[in-house]
């Protein structure tokens, strides 16, 4: 009998989630039915959007069910199979989340490529949903043009490190970002190709941003929300566009903070603010996959991961990520 | 010698403009040069955007020069001409603003049609920039689809009365609006084809809006800003779009008010907020002109004007309009 260790949500967090909102359970897995696979996960993803699903507010995705295992991106290897298309040993991506062993109908699993010299977790990161999110935001949402200036908030996070590099590869003129520590700020310019970066904990971002964008900002890729959006609106050039990917600064707020006090610039500078969800742009995945595979193979893209070991530490990994304790993609190694 | 009575800006208002920020002068006009016309204005336009130009903040148009005559839309008739294309008697539209007699090179004036049964001021309103603004906001900016629900703030104003009717003619499913008096609210439903309307002075718009949009809002056409934008964000359906045309509620604020406290919905509901200026969409003018001329001739469009007599009362007309004292387009009859 195979057992699977799984992490379940048991109560809806008010404000910051706590370990008590979750439980770890052992589930006995049945024998495989016809056309099914059993997968030993290698890496499980923890992502900011999951905080939204822990609440039961109306949103673009259904809330997580209480008492059920947390779903989300994961990558693993087939260990048992009754499905011809996915033989034992196949590397697969799936959405079954926080568990060490996953199993189910083969159509819930998608084969992904083995990437020489890279861990399979890249399929949860720069080669997967994270990279696609960055690409969609810059192209489909913000319509980045060559030569333009891009400002990225939360630039040292998983999406942010991808945005800076992809913006550069797409021809951006100047790329600047914000992050929450001196170390991260250094990485942005030394490793991720940012032209300049600031630590938003040093002083209000609104005070620091103008100095690093002397010619204003054309595209703002927002992972943070709140004061970062306000700062961007201040320095936007006419016809500036914001791709709003996340607002991690407010995800755990119980009180709703006041919004930017400069929204009149939306009219005066003819700005566009647009929220998006990568899932709506699956039609771009093929185009992205081809370009990114090329860039990756040519060594034009770097990535970092912050790895936490052990499926039972998924909650800790999630909370650390929410507090900004990661550089690059946060993953749980099973 | 012909003299022209003109109204000039002499100081930049802080907060609400006062009559002391303006002066009325008599200007002696020179003889016409070659290719010029002299025009007796019939109507002069006063519009919310003019408040922005009275300040010297960076904006999409240059600020008005101090000591010079206020420019803006006006319609009049040629009384003297050395330009073959615009003989005496021609009805023309121009941008020379707050004066009773205008003159200059013929290319500053554009011939417009005589509309049977309508005053020439319609060219400042529903057949002119006002109607085009409504049309551009609904089509180019908000991409209104047939069957969708539209919410219009400041719905009894010049642009708002046009938006409601044009939205209906473009196939909107439900059209609702806000206005600042019981009389205006009545007009919205009895005359302008709105399905429902509320008086935003009765109670916070955020509390009143949900009841009149049981199925949410797909398109928000904003003439007001501030609390109206917040209310719209609350009730937006997924993929909702806001066309931000103006923010008259804040034009005279000295302190900048806090913005909406629900901007996280921009991501969670995948909303788009987009500010626009009609002047950027001149390429739509021909398409609009053709459609609107047809609707107008078929009696499908109604319009109201609030008329103030006398060019020397332009400032009063402007301030009355800013305070919401108009229904439909506010014009000065010369």
């Amino acid at each position: 009998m195979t057992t699977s260790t799984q992490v379940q949500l048991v109560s809806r967090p008010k404000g910051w989630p706590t370990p008590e909102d979750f439980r770890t359970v052992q589930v006995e897995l049945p024998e495989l039915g016809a056309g099914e696979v059993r997968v030993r996960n290698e890496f499980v993803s923890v992502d900011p959007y999951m905080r939204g699903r822990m609440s039961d507010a109306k949103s673009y995705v259904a809330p997580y069910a209480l008492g059920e295992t947390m779903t989300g991106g994961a990558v693993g290897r087939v260990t048992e199979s009754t499905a011809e298309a996915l033989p034992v040993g196949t590397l697969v991506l799936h959405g079954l989340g926080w568990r060490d062993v996953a199993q189910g109908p083969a159509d819930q699993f998608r084969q992904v490529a083995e990437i020489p010299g890279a861990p399979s977790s890249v399929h949860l990161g720069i080669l997967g949903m994270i990279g696609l999110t960055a690409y969609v935001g810059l192209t489909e949402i913000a319509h980045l043009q060559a030569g333009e200036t891009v400002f990225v908030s939360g630039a040292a996070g998983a999406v942010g490190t991808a945005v800076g590099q992809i913006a550069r590869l797409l021809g951006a003129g100047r790329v600047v970002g914000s992050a929450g520590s001196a170390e991260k700020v250094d990485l942005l310019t030394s490793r991720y190709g940012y032209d300049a970066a600031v630590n938003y904990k040093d002083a209000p971002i609104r005070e620091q941003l103008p100095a690093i964008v002397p010619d204003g900002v054309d595209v703002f890729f927002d992972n943070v929300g709140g004061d970062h959006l306000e700062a961007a609106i201040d320095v936007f050039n006419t016809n500036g566009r914001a791709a709003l990917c996340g607002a991690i600064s407010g995800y755990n707020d119980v009180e709703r903070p006041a919004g930017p006090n400069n929204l009149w610039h939306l009219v005066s500078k003819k700005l566009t603010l647009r929220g998006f969800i990568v899932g709506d742009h699956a039609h771009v995945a093929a185009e992205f996959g081809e370009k990114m595979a090329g860039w990756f193979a040519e060594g034009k893209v770097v990535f970092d991961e912050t790895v936490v070991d052990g499926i039972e530490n998924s909650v800790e990994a999630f909370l650390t990520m929410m507090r900004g304790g990661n550089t690059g993609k946060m993953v749980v190694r099973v």
Side-chain angles (χ1 to χ4, degrees), chain A:
Chain A
M1 182 69 71
T2 300
T3 62
S4 169
T5 303
Q6 309 191 350
V7 180
Q8 303 184 332
L9 183 71
V10 292
S11 58
R12 303 212 177 275
K14 306 284 180 218
W16 280 89
T18 65
E20 289 67 42
D21 293 321
F22 302 87
R23 71 177 171 209
T24 301
V25 299
Q26 308 291 325
V27 175
E28 296 199 346
L29 300 177
E31 296 298 304
L32 290 190
E36 293 194 331
V37 294
R38 179 170 296 163
V39 170
R40 175 85 200 167
N41 277 340
E42 296 185 350
F43 292 94
V44 166
S45 190
V46 293
D47 297 284
Y49 78 85
M50 293 173 169
R51 177 61 188 87
R53 298 195 62 184
M54 292 174 193
S55 300
D56 55 6
K58 190 181 164 197
S59 183
Y60 55 93
V61 282
Y64 288 123
L66 292 182
E68 291 188 6
T69 299
M70 290 280 299
T71 55
V75 64
R77 212 168 277 281
V78 176
T79 57
E80 203 179 324
S81 176
T82 59
E84 225 171 279
L86 297 178
V88 169
T90 307
L91 189 66
V92 292
L93 182 70
H94 63 91
L96 295 174
W98 297 12
R99 63 189 83 202
D100 59 356
V101 181
Q103 76 178 42
D107 63 4
Q108 295 184 7
F109 300 81
R110 181 165 68 81
Q111 179 168 11
V112 289
E114 312 269 354
I115 308 291
S120 61
S121 52
V122 291
H123 292 293
L124 302 176
I126 189 106
L127 291 189
M129 191 190 72
I130 296 294
L132 181 59
T133 299
Y135 185 81
V136 163
L138 289 169
T139 58
E140 300 268 298
I141 306 298
H143 304 291
L144 174 65
Q145 304 297 308
E148 289 189 323
T149 295
V150 179
F151 167 48
V152 185
S153 68
V159 172
T161 51
V163 173
Q165 298 181 80
I166 294 174
R168 181 73 74 207
L169 289 164
L170 293 174
R174 183 173 175 81
V175 182
V176 306
S178 72
S181 76
E183 256 183 321
K184 289 182 180 179
V185 166
D186 283 348
L187 274 178
L188 289 180
T189 52
S190 65
R191 180 161 165 80
Y192 291 109
Y194 280 77
D195 294 299
V198 295
N199 180 349
Y200 60 77
K201 292 180 179 167
D202 283 347
I205 183 67
R206 196 171 193 171
E207 292 171 14
Q208 295 190 79
L209 184 57
I212 60 169
V213 289
D215 297 322
V217 164
D218 303 298
V219 167
F220 172 43
F221 193 109
D222 191 18
N223 298 298
V224 171
D227 57 350
H228 277 77
L229 178 57
E230 193 168 58
I233 292 173
D234 273 352
V235 297
F236 256 137
N237 294 324
T238 298
N239 293 318
R241 292 90 64 203
L244 308 179
C245 176
I248 197 170
S249 71
Y251 285 177
N252 295 303
D253 290 343
V254 177
E255 296 292 317
R256 302 204 291 185
N261 69 1
N262 53 359
L263 283 184
W264 63 281
H265 277 312
L266 267 58
V267 183
S268 74
K269 297 200 279 195
K270 303 176 284 188
L271 306 178
T272 303
L273 309 186
R274 186 169 169 204
F276 75 103
I277 301 301
V278 66
D280 289 347
H281 302 269
H283 61 283
V284 187
E287 168 191 322
F288 162 74
E290 197 171 320
K291 281 192 187 171
M292 181 52 86
W295 291 330
F296 201 85
E298 292 163 27
K300 291 184 173 167
V301 177
V302 297
F303 68 98
D304 284 306
E305 293 179 338
T306 302
V307 178
V308 168
D309 276 301
I311 193 70
E312 66 281 9
N313 295 319
S314 300
V315 174
E316 183 198 317
F318 174 74
L319 292 173
T320 301
M321 181 273 302
M322 290 298 288
R323 292 197 187 94
N326 57 310
T327 298
K329 181 75 182 92
M330 178 67 108
V331 292
V332 176
R333 184 161 46 203
V334 179

